[in-house]
Amino acid sequence: MMLLRFLKAATVACGIALAGVSMAQAATNKDLFLKDDARCTECHDEADAPELLAIGKTRHGVKADGRTPTCTSCHGKSDKHVDYKGKDKPPKTDTSFGKKSTTTPQAKNEACLSCHQKDSKRSHWEGSVHQTRDVACSSCHLIHAAEDKVRNKKTEAEVCYACHKEQRAQVNKPSRHPIPEGKVACSDCHNAHGSAGPSLMVRDSVVDTCYTCHMEKRGPFVRNHQPVQEDCSICHNSHGTTNANLLKTRGPFLCQQCHEPTTHQGNVASLTGASTSANTAARDCLNCHTQIHGTNNPANISNERTFRR
Ligand code: HEC
Ligand code: HEC
Ligand code: HEC
Ligand code: HEC
Ligand code: HEC
Ligand code: HEC
Ligand code: HEC
Ligand code: HEC
Ligand code: HEC
Ligand code: HEC
C-alpha cells in the first residue's frame, strides 16, 4: 500500500519533469497545488484514513476564506517527510501532534497560536495552568474530526474528565449542576484557555462568574452576608456534593465553622420560645435565618435584621 503511494508520487514528479512542464506553471494551477495541500494529499487521501479529510467539513476547511490553514500551516513544510523515498515509515513531519510525537508542547501550540493568539478568549493562555503544565491545544481539540467534542456542551466534560477524574466523581453526586444533561458546561464557569480570575474562572472572580446565571444573589442587599460577597465556594462546591444545594458541609456545622456555638448558635433553647431541636431539625439554622445570601431589612429593625426575612 504505502510503497504504491510512493511510486505514485514518484511517477507524478517524473511525469512533470519529462513533459517539460515548468514548476512555476504547475504551481499556478490552484487545483493541483492548492497552497501546498496537494503535496500532502497525494499520499494522504480517503484511503489513508477517512477521518483525515473530514477537516474539510470544519472551519479549517473553508477554502473561500483566505485565512484558512493548509496542511503545512500546522504540520510545517516537512520537506524530509515529503521527499522520503525509503521503504520504511518516512521521518515525522516538522510539527507532529500524535501520542508518539517528539515535538514539544510549546512548538505544537505555536502552530495554532500563529493564527489564534489574537483571539480575545486566549489572551491569558501564556502563563495559564494548562499552558505551564504542558497541555497542548491538541490535547483538547480534535482537528481532523468533523465534530470537535470539546466544543459541544454535551460531550465537552468527557474531554476534561480524561485528566480531571475527581471532578467526574463530584459531578455524579446527588446535588450537582446539570452538567451530564448538557445544560451547564465546564466552560460556563471555566475558560480552559486561561483567565485573569482564580481557578480559570470565565470572569475575574468566582462571584462574578456565578452571577452570570444566579443574578438574584448579587443584590445589592441592604444587609450583606460577608462570605457570600467574598466567594460562593466558601459554602458551595460547584461540581457536586452529597448535601443538598451543593453545600460543602451540612448545617449547623457549615455555619458553626465561623459562628462560634457559644450563644443560641450552640444552644438554641437560649432563645425564648425556640424548640431545642431548631438548630438541628429540618433546615437547621435556616429554620429562622432564611435569607442567608442577604436581606433588604435594615439593621435597626431588631426582629428581622439577621437574615430572617
Ligand atoms: C510520499 C507520500 C507522502 C507524502 C507526499 C506525505 N506523506 Fe505524510 N505520511 C506518509 C506515510 C507513509 C506516513 C506514515 C503512516 C503511518 O505511520 O502509518 C505518513 C505520516 C504522516 C503523519 C503522521 C506522523 C507525523 O509526522 O505526525 C503526518 C502528520 C503526515 N504524514 C502529514 C503529512 C503532510 C502535512 C504532508 C505534506 C506536507 C505529507 N504528510 C506528505 C506518506 C506521505
Ligand atoms: C489546523 C491544524 C491542522 C491542519 C490544517 C492539518 N492538520 Fe493534520 N493534524 C493536526 C493535529 C492537531 C493532529 C493530531 C490528531 C488530531 O487532532 O486529529 C493531526 C494529525 C494528522 C495525521 C496523523 C493522523 C493519525 O491518526 O496518526 C496526519 C496523517 C495528518 N494530520 C495529515 C494532515 C494533512 C494531509 C493535512 C491537510 C489536508 C492536515 N493534516 C491538516 C493538525 C492539523
Ligand atoms: C493559518 C491559520 C490557522 C492555523 C495555523 C490554525 N487555525 Fe484554527 N482557525 C483558523 C480560522 C481562519 C478559523 C475560522 C474561524 C474564525 O473565523 O476565526 C479557525 C477556527 C478554529 C476553531 C473553531 C472555531 C469555530 O468557531 O468553529 C478551532 C477550535 C481552532 N481553529 C483551533 C485550532 C487549533 C487547535 C490549531 C492548531 C492545531 C489551529 N486552529 C490552527 C485559522 C487557523
Ligand atoms: C483544556 C482544554 C482546551 C485546551 C488545552 C484548548 N482549548 Fe480551545 N476550547 C476548549 C473549549 C472547552 C472550547 C469551547 C468553549 C469555549 O469557547 O470556551 C474551546 C474553543 C476554542 C475555539 C473556538 C471558540 C473561540 O474561542 O473562538 C478556538 C479557536 C480554540 N478553542 C483554540 C484553541 C487554541 C489555539 C488552543 C491552544 C493555545 C486551545 N484552544 C487549547 C478547550 C480547550
Ligand atoms: C458552576 C460553575 C462550575 C462548573 C460548571 C464547573 N466548575 Fe470547576 N470549579 C468551579 C469553581 C468555583 C472552582 C474553584 C473553587 C473550588 O475548587 O470549589 C472550580 C475548580 C475546579 C478545578 C480545580 C480544583 C482544585 O482542587 O483546585 C478543576 C480541575 C475544575 N474545576 C474542573 C472542572 C471540570 C472538568 C468541569 C466540568 C465537568 C467543571 N470544573 C465545571 C466552578 C465550576
Ligand atoms: C491533557 C490533560 C488535561 C485536560 C484534557 C484538561 N486539563 Fe485541566 N488541568 C490539567 C492539569 C495538568 C492541571 C494542573 C492542576 C492539576 O494537576 O490538576 C489542570 C488544571 C485545571 C484547573 C485548575 C486551575 C487552577 O487555577 O487551579 C481547571 C479549572 C481545569 N484544569 C479545567 C479544565 C477543563 C474545564 C477542561 C476541559 C475543557 C480541562 N481542564 C481539560 C490537565 C488537563
Ligand atoms: C451557566 C449558568 C450557571 C452558572 C454560571 C452557575 N450556575 Fe448554579 N445553577 C445553574 C442551573 C441551570 C442550576 C439548576 C437549577 C435547577 O435545577 O432548577 C443551578 C443550580 C445551582 C445550585 C442549587 C443546586 C441544587 O442542588 O439545587 C447552587 C447552590 C448553585 N447553582 C451554585 C452556583 C455557584 C456557586 C456558581 C458559581 C461558581 C454557579 N452556580 C454558576 C446554572 C448556573
Ligand atoms: C455562608 C454560606 C453560603 C455562601 C457563601 C453562599 N451560599 Fe448559596 N446557599 C447557602 C445555603 C445554606 C443554601 C440553602 C438555602 C436554603 O435551603 O434556603 C444555599 C442555596 C443556594 C442556591 C439554591 C437555592 C436558592 O436560593 O436559589 C443557590 C443558587 C445559591 N445558594 C447560590 C449561591 C451563590 C451564587 C453564591 C455566591 C454569590 C452563594 N450561594 C454563596 C449558603 C451559602
Ligand atoms: C466563612 C465564614 C461564615 C460562614 C460559613 C457563615 N457565616 Fe454568617 N457571618 C460571617 C461573617 C464574617 C458575618 C459578619 C459578622 C459581623 O458583621 O459581625 C456573618 C454574619 C451573619 C449573621 C448576622 C450577624 C449580625 O450580627 O447581624 C447571621 C445571622 C449569620 N451570619 C448566619 C449564618 C448562618 C445561618 C450560616 C450558615 C448557613 C452562616 N452565617 C455561615 C461569616 C460566616
Ligand atoms: C429558632 C430560630 C433561630 C435558630 C434556629 C437560629 N437562630 Fe440565629 N438568631 C435568631 C434570632 C431571633 C436572632 C436575633 C437575636 C437578637 O437580635 O438578639 C438571631 C441572631 C443570630 C446571629 C447574630 C448574633 C447573635 O448571636 O445574636 C447569628 C450570627 C446567628 N443568629 C447565627 C445562627 C446560627 C449559626 C444558627 C444555627 C446554629 C442559628 N443562628 C439558629 C433565631 C434563630
Side-chain angles (χ1 to χ4, degrees):
M1 270 289 274
M2 275 307 160
L3 188 64
L4 253 180
R5 275 193 211 130
F6 284 116
L7 281 176
K8 205 163 101 192
T11 322
V12 171
C14 209
I16 289 170
L18 284 178
V21 179
S22 83
M23 285 307 283
Q25 247 178 314
T28 57
N29 184 338
K30 284 205 175 115
D31 286 339
L32 191 60
F33 284 92
L34 183 79
K35 291 203 296 180
D36 279 355
D37 269 1
R39 287 170 71 227
C40 315
T41 52
E42 177 59 38
C43 295
H44 296 289
D45 51 19
E46 283 94 341
D48 187 44
E51 181 100 307
L52 216 56
L53 298 185
I55 195 172
K57 295 177 191 153
T58 71
R59 293 291 294 270
H60 285 140
V62 185
K63 297 245 159 72
D65 186 338
R67 302 167 304 158
T68 294
T70 64
C71 314
T72 50
S73 327
C74 292
H75 293 288
K77 269 189 77 66
S78 311
D79 288 338
K80 282 195 187 126
H81 177 81
V82 175
D83 299 337
Y84 182 72
K85 298 283 187 296
K87 275 194 213 142
D88 308 326
K89 283 187 182 179
K92 295 259 185 231
T93 48
D94 296 347
T95 310
S96 176
F97 297 90
K99 287 223 170 73
K100 289 183 195 152
S101 154
T102 49
T103 307
T104 63
Q106 219 174 339
K108 285 180 187 171
N109 292 341
E110 270 160 20
C112 312
L113 290 169
S114 63
C115 292
H116 290 290
Q117 187 114 52
K118 287 194 210 88
D119 306 356
S120 61
K121 265 202 180 167
R122 269 160 299 285
S123 52
H124 293 99
W125 170 256
E126 232 24 76
S128 72
V129 178
H130 284 143
Q131 186 265 331
T132 53
R133 294 296 298 272
D134 286 348
V135 177
C137 313
S138 52
S139 307
C140 290
H141 290 287
L142 287 175
I143 291 301
H144 285 280
E147 170 143 343
D148 188 8
K149 278 190 176 178
V150 86
R151 286 189 299 119
N152 177 332
K153 276 195 166 203
K154 287 218 166 84
T155 48
E156 175 192 298
E158 286 170 33
V159 178
C160 312
Y161 294 153
C163 300
H164 296 295
K165 305 238 173 344
E166 196 186 331
Q167 278 67 32
R168 185 213 301 269
Q170 290 171 342
V171 167
N172 280 319
K173 293 195 169 169
S175 176
R176 55 175 176 76
H177 270 104
I179 294 172
E181 292 82 356
K183 286 189 190 146
V184 172
C186 314
S187 57
D188 283 326
C189 293
H190 297 291
N191 184 344
H193 308 109
S195 90
S199 303
L200 298 177
M201 286 287 109
V202 293
R203 296 278 182 275
D204 289 354
S205 66
V206 171
V207 286
D208 282 339
T209 301
C210 308
Y211 294 155
T212 60
C213 294
H214 301 290
M215 284 166 279
E216 77 288 355
K217 300 288 184 282
R218 166 179 247 150
F221 301 109
V222 175
R223 283 177 57 63
N224 291 309
H225 193 187
Q226 197 175 307
V228 178
Q229 309 279 295
E230 244 167 63
D231 183 350
C232 314
S233 51
I234 290 172
C235 297
H236 297 288
N237 180 318
S238 305
H239 307 122
T241 61
T242 38
N243 305 309
N245 289 300
L246 292 169
L247 289 173
K248 284 181 161 172
T249 315
R250 278 179 44 227
F253 312 109
L254 174 72
C255 316
Q256 287 167 344
Q257 286 168 11
C258 299
H259 297 288
E260 288 195 43
T262 44
T263 58
H264 75 285
Q265 301 156 33
N267 174 20
V268 74
S270 67
L271 281 177
T272 4
S275 141
T276 48
S277 63
N279 266 354
T280 47
R283 289 158 42 77
D284 49 81
C285 310
L286 302 173
N287 284 328
C288 303
H289 301 284
T290 55
Q291 305 301 111
I292 206 60
H293 299 99
T295 173
N296 285 325
N297 282 319
N300 57 7
I301 299 183
S302 67
N303 272 335
E304 294 169 350
R305 61 181 171 102
T306 46
F307 311 134
R308 280 172 289 128
R309 262 173 64 178

